[in-house]
C-alpha cells in the first residue's frame, strides 16, 4: 500500500498527548479534510462514494451504510428537516470501543456527521450518548463548542451555505434505547419501546421525519472514505469486508484492550498477538466474538477471519467485534446466567418471549448454577431459545440475549449436565480455594 495512505484511519489521531481530542490537534493532523472535500462534491457523488466503499454499520448488525442512506428521500420535495443520530448508547456487554473513540477523537465523529449532513441535506444532528460516559460527554461538549467557534457548526458553515448543528442528548441508561426506534421514541419523550419496522427511520424516524441512525464507529469512518477514496477503504480489509475495525478482547488474557486492525484479521492474531494470549494457568474454552449477544465460538474457530460473513457462516455474529473470553476455570453456566440476568432486566416488556421468556431462563439457570437443576431444565432452556428466535419477537433484544445460552448448551452441555448430576457448581470449590 502507498505509504502516504493511513492503514489505521480511526486511531491515527490518537496520541499520548493530553490534547489529542482538541480541534487544534485534530486539524493539525489532517482533520476536517474529508468534510472540506465533501463540500466540493454533489449529494449523488457522496452517496455513490459511500456505496462503493462497502462500509457496513459498525454497531453490530453490519447493514450496508450506503444502501441504508440511499433510502432517505432526497430532492426538493423531500420531507424536512432530516435528522442524523449517532447511536452512542454503547451498552452491549463487553463492548467499550465507542467510548474510546468519543473520549479520544470527538472531532472525528462530528466530521462524520458533517459529511452526513452534506450528503443527505440534514440540518440537525444528535449524539445519543450513554449516560455513564461522563468523560465522553465532557469532551464532546467541548468539541461541539470548538466547532461552533470555528464556524464548523451553525449557519453557512465555512461559507458553503450548509446549515447544521448537533445536540448532545444523554440517555437515561437503558439497553433498549440503543435499538434505533426505541432510541427515537426515547428522544421524543415517549417510553423506549421499539417501533414496528417498516417504516424504517430512513423514511419516517424522529418526529416522523427522515432519520439516519448509525453507530459512533460508522460515522468515524466517513471522513476517511471521502478523503482517501472508496478503493483505499476497500483495500484496507483483508477479504471482502472493507476497512478496518476496532476489535477488542476482555477476559483472562494478558493485555485486554482495543486495537484498530484490518477487517478479516484472524481471531487468533487478535487474541494471541494483540491481547497477549491467555494468562498463565488459564486455557481458552470459548469466546463470544462480538459482545454479550453473540453465539459462543470455540478453539477450533480461532483461525477464521473476523468479518461479518465468515463469523455468520460459523453460526455466530461479529456483532461489535469485541471478544469476550471464557476460560477453563470460569463456569459457563454462571457466565450465561450473568448475561441473561442483564438482558431480562433490560427488556422493555413489550413482547412475550422477551418479557416472560428471559426471566424464565434466568430462573432455570439459577436453579442449575445453585445445584438444584433437573435434566428437564436443559430441555426447557432449549425450548425458550426457540421461543425467542428472530421472527417471534418485536426487536433483536431477546434473539440476541439467547445466543450465548443456545451456543453454551451446544458447546458446554457437559458442564450444564455436571451441575445437575453433582447437584452443585463444579467450578465453585475452585473459586473458594482462591484459584479463581
Ligand atoms: P437490524 O439488522 O434490524 O438493523 C440494522 C440497521 O439496518 C438499522 O439501521 C435498520 O434501519 C437498517 N435496516 C435493516 N433492514 C433494513 C431494510 N430492509 N430496509 C432499510 N433499512 C434496514 O439490527 P438492529 O436491531 O438495529 O441491531 C441489532 C444489532 O445491534 C445486533 O447485532 C447487536 O449486536 C447490536 N447491538 C449493539 C449494541 C452496542 O452497544 N453497540 C447494543 C445492542 C445491540
Amino acid at each position: 500500500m502507498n505509504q502516504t495512505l493511513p492503514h489505521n484511519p480511526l486511531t491515527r489521531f490518537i496520541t499520548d498527548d493530553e490534547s489529542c481530542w482538541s480541534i487544534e490537534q485534530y486539524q493539525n493532523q489532517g482533520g476536517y479534510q474529508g468534510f472540506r472535500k465533501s463540500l466540493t462534491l454533489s449529494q449523488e457523488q457522496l452517496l455513490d462514494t459511500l456505496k462503493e466503499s462497502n462500509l457496513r454499520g459498525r454497531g453490530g448488525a453490519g447493514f450496508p451504510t450506503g444502501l441504508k442512506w440511499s433510502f432517505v428521500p432526497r430532492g426538493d420535495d423531500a420531507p424536512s428537516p432530516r435528522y442524523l443520530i449517532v447511536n452512542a448508547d454503547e451498552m452491549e456487554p463487553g463492548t467499550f470501543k465507542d467510548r474510546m473513540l468519543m473520549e479520544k477523537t470527538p472531532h472525528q465523529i462530528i466530521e462524520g456527521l458533517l459529511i452526513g449532513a452534506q450528503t443527505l441535506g440534514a440540518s440537525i444532528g444528535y449524539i445519543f450518548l450513554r449516560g455513564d460516559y461522563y468523560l465522553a460527554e465532557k469532551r464532546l461538549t467541548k468539541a461541539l463548542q470548538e466547532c461552533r467557534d470555528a464556524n464548523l457548526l451553525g449557519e453557512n458553515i465555512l461559507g458553503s451555505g450548509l446549515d447544521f448543528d448537533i445536540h448532545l442528548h444523554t440517555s437515561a441508561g437503558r439497553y433498549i434505547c440503543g435499538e434505533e426506534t426505541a432510541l427515537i421514541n426515547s428522544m421524543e419523550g415517549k417510553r423506549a419501546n421499539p417501533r414496528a419496522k417498516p417504516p424504517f427511520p430512513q423514511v419516517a424516524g424522529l418526529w416522523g421525519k427522515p432519520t439516519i441512525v448509525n453507530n459512533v464507529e460508522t460515522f468515524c469512518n466517513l471522513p476517511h472514505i471521502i478523503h482517501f477514496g472508496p478503493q483505499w477503504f476497500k483495500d484496507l480489509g483483508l477479504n471482502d469486508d472493507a476497512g478496518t475495525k476496532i476489535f477488542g478482547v476482555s477476559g483472562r488474557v494478558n493485555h485486554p484492550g482495543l486495537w484498530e486492525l484490518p477487517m478479516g484479521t484472524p481471531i487468533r492474531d487478535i487474541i494471541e498477538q494483540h491481547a497477549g494470549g491467555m494468562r498463565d494457568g488459564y486455557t481458552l474454552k470459548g469466546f463470544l466474538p462480538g459482545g454479550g449477544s453473540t453465539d459462543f465460538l470455540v478453539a477450533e474457530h480461532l483461525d477464521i477471519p473476523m468479518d461479518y460473513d465468515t463469523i455468520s457462516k460459523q453460526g455466530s455474529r461479529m456483532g461489535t467485534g469485541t471478544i469476550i473470553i471464557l476460560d477453563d476455570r470460569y463456569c459457563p453456566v454462571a457466565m450465561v446466567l450473568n448475561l441473561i440476568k442483564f438482558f431480562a432486566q433490560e427488556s422493555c416488556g413489550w413482547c412475550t418471549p422477551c418479557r416472560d421468556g428471559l426471566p424464565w431462563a434466568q430462573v432455570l439457570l439459577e436453579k442449575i448454577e445453585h445445584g438444584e437443576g433437573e435434566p428437564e431444565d436443559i430441555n426447557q432452556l432449549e425450548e425458550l431459545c426457540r421461543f425467542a428466535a428472530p421472527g417471534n419477537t418485536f426487536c433483536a433484544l431477546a434473539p440476541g440475549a439467547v445466543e450465548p445460552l443456545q451456543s453454551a448448551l451446544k458447546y458446554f452441555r457437559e458442564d450444564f449436565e455436571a451441575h445437575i448430576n453433582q447437584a452443585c457448581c463444579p467450578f465453585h470449590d475452585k473459586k473458594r480455594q482462591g484459584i479463581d
Side-chain angles (χ1 to χ4, degrees), residues 362-374:
Q362 181 183 333
V363 168
L364 294 171
L365 286 165
E366 273 166 353
K367 259 180 83 185
I368 296 172
E369 175 62 3
H370 297 146
E372 294 153 13
E374 299 155 75

Side-chain angles (χ1 to χ4, degrees), residues 24-44:
E24 221 180 338
Q25 287 281 72
Y26 187 67
Q27 299 213 93
N28 284 345
Q29 294 178 78
Y32 290 108
Q33 292 299 321
F35 171 57
R36 285 172 195 275
K37 184 171 171 189
S38 78
L39 294 174
T40 66
L41 301 171
S42 70
Q43 294 187 335
E44 290 311 314

Side-chain angles (χ1 to χ4, degrees), residues 8-317:
N8 59 339
L10 302 177
T11 51
R12 74 195 164 105
F13 297 105
I14 299 176
T15 60
D16 289 338
D17 185 339
E18 276 292 291
S19 60
C20 78
W21 47 86
S22 71
I23 193 166
E24 221 180 338
Q25 287 281 72
Y26 187 67
Q27 299 213 93
N28 284 345
Q29 294 178 78
Y32 290 108
Q33 292 299 321
F35 171 57
R36 285 172 195 275
K37 184 171 171 189
S38 78
L39 294 174
T40 66
L41 301 171
S42 70
Q43 294 187 335
E44 290 311 314
Q45 283 172 319
L46 287 165
L47 204 51
D48 285 346
T49 305
L50 196 51
K51 280 193 208 159
E52 211 187 314
S53 75
N54 285 348
L55 172 67
R56 296 175 69 170
R58 303 301 200 228
F63 194 82
T65 307
L67 180 65
K68 176 157 137 181
W69 287 33
S70 70
F71 299 139
V72 174
R74 294 185 302 285
D76 294 341
D77 300 340
S80 64
R82 292 185 279 282
Y83 298 105
L84 298 173
I85 303 178
V86 184
N87 189 344
D89 196 35
E90 184 173 56
M91 279 189 75
E92 182 67 26
T95 301
F96 44 99
K97 66 183 183 69
D98 296 338
R99 175 182 178 173
M100 181 271 288
L101 290 170
M102 289 187 285
E103 289 179 359
K104 302 283 190 185
T105 66
H107 282 284
Q108 200 167 211
I109 302 158
I110 297 173
E111 187 176 0
L113 276 162
L114 279 163
I115 290 169
Q118 176 68 2
T119 307
L120 299 170
S123 52
I124 302 173
Y126 290 95
I127 301 173
F128 189 96
L129 179 68
R130 175 173 169 173
D132 320 72
Y133 280 4
Y134 305 117
L135 186 57
E137 181 181 3
K138 197 173 141 195
R139 297 214 174 131
L140 283 164
T141 303
K142 183 164 182 287
L144 290 171
Q145 193 51 51
E146 285 175 330
C147 286
R148 288 188 195 105
D149 295 344
N151 188 221
L152 277 160
L153 285 177
E155 289 178 8
N156 192 20
I157 293 171
L158 303 181
S160 66
L162 176 70
D163 298 337
F164 183 69
D165 209 342
I166 301 172
H167 305 281
L168 187 59
H169 178 104
T170 46
S171 162
R174 296 313 305 265
Y175 178 77
I176 195 63
C177 287
E179 197 286 331
E180 60 180 356
T181 57
L183 180 157
I184 288 170
N185 272 343
S186 158
M187 286 189 59
E188 290 183 2
K190 297 177 185 148
R191 190 174 165 158
N193 290 336
R195 296 177 181 174
K197 294 192 265 189
F200 285 89
Q202 298 94 298
V203 177
L206 190 62
W207 292 295
K209 301 293 184 187
T211 304
I212 280 292
V213 185
N214 268 124
N215 172 258
V216 169
E217 190 182 347
T218 313
F219 273 109
C220 285
N221 274 293
L222 300 185
H224 315 292
I225 291 171
I226 301 302
H227 191 188
F228 299 111
Q231 190 57 47
W232 159 82
F233 188 72
K234 282 196 279 197
D235 289 345
L236 287 176
L238 299 182
N239 49 25
D240 289 346
D241 251 335
T244 59
K245 177 84 191 72
I246 309 283
F247 293 119
V249 179
S250 60
R252 286 177 177 131
V253 287
N254 284 309
H255 309 295
L258 297 166
W259 309 272
E260 181 181 10
L261 299 169
M263 193 66 99
T265 299
I267 296 173
R268 188 185 293 283
D269 289 3
I270 301 174
I271 296 176
E272 294 182 1
Q273 268 182 36
H274 299 281
M278 297 301 292
R279 274 164 45 187
D280 269 357
Y282 296 94
T283 307
L284 182 139
K285 179 166 176 143
F287 59 93
L288 301 171
S293 64
T294 57
D295 283 90
F296 276 104
L297 294 177
V298 291
E300 72 189 56
H301 299 114
L302 281 175
D303 291 309
I304 63 170
M306 270 290 257
D307 65 69
Y308 291 104
D309 295 338
T310 311
I311 303 281
S312 294
K313 281 187 198 137
Q314 301 300 323
S316 185
R317 292 185 303 111

